[in-house]
Amino acid sequence: MAPVPQAAIQAPDGLEQVLRHPAVWRGRAPAGGGGPVVASGNQALDEALPGGGWPLGGLTELLGAVHGAGELEVLMPALATLTRAGRLVVWIAPPHIPYAPALESSGLVLSRVLWLRPAGVADALWAAEQVLTDAGGGAVLLWADEVGDRQLRRLQLAAERGGALGVVFRHIGRAAQPSPAMLRAEVMARPGGGALRIIKCRARPPAAPIPLAGEPANYSTPPAWPMDGYRSGP
C-alpha cells in the first residue's frame, strides 16, 4: 500500500481547535508561546528551562534518592521571589520541620510561608489541590511519594487554574512511571555539590546535568525549634 501523504491527514475541526490551545503540547513539537515563569536564580538552569525559569501554572516533580540532596536549595531563590511579591508558599507534609531561620536567611518572607501537616496522603493531596487552585501565583511544595497518575493530573490542572508553581517531591524510583507533570528532574547528591538532571521538559530535550552550587543547606530542624513566624495546620 502506498503511504498516505501527510497533507491528507486532517484532524476533525473540533479536535484541531483543541490542539491549537496553548496549553496543549504535542510531544515532538516545540511548545508555543511559553507561560509565566519565576527565575530559578541559577543561570544555567534558567537557560535549560522553557521561558527561563520554573513554570508557574504547571506541576514540577523533583526526584531524588534521599532528602536533603539540594532539592530545597534549588528552589529557594524562586520561593524568595514569590514571597517578596506577597505570594503564599505552602509546605505540605515535609519529612522534617522547616527551619525558620534558614528560610529567612535565604530571603523568604516568613509571614508568607504556611506549613501544613495533613493526617495522611489523601488529606495532603486534597490540600495541595485546593491551595494550588487558589494560590494566586504562589507555590505549593508537596511531599507525596505514593501518588498516582490520576492524582498528579489533578494537581497539574489545579496548578494551571491557579497559575501556581506546584512541586511534588518523590523518590527517584518513581522516575520510570509516566507523569503528566510539566517538568520532571532529578536532584543528584554529589561530593562538593549536587546537580540537577532534567528528565522531562516540555518543548526542550533534556539538558546535561546542571551543577548546583556548594553543599546543600539545612532547612529542617528538630521538633523543639520554636516556629516563630510560622502558621501551622492541624
Side-chain angles (χ1 to χ4, degrees), residues 76-97:
M76 282 298 156
L79 301 181
T81 297
L82 292 173
T83 59
R84 287 197 295 267
R87 309 289 174 78
L88 199 61
V89 172
V90 182
W91 301 49
I92 301 178
H96 305 289
I97 296 176

Side-chain angles (χ1 to χ4, degrees), residues 71-131:
E71 69 275 18
L72 287 176
E73 193 149 25
V74 74
L75 291 169
M76 282 298 156
L79 301 181
T81 297
L82 292 173
T83 59
R84 287 197 295 267
R87 309 289 174 78
L88 199 61
V89 172
V90 182
W91 301 49
I92 301 178
H96 305 289
I97 296 176
Y99 186 40
L103 300 183
E104 191 168 33
S105 68
S106 295
L108 272 72
V109 179
L110 294 183
S111 63
R112 303 307 300 162
V113 175
L114 178 64
W115 170 37
L116 300 179
R117 293 178 293 178
V121 175
D123 288 346
L125 291 170
W126 180 86
E129 185 175 346
Q130 305 309 308
V131 178

Side-chain angles (χ1 to χ4, degrees), residues 97-101 103 110 115 221-232:
I97 296 176
Y99 186 40
L103 300 183
L110 294 183
W115 170 37
T221 183
W225 182 264
M227 297 304 294
D228 294 339
Y230 269 72
R231 290 174 287 164
S232 172

Side-chain angles (χ1 to χ4, degrees), residues 9 11 21-22 36-37 50 63 73 93 100 104 107 114-115 119 127 143 145 169 185 187 189 191 217 232:
I9 303 175
H21 192 281
V37 300
L63 312 174
E73 193 149 25
E104 191 168 33
L114 178 64
W115 170 37
W143 283 259
D145 189 57
F169 300 96
V187 179
S232 172

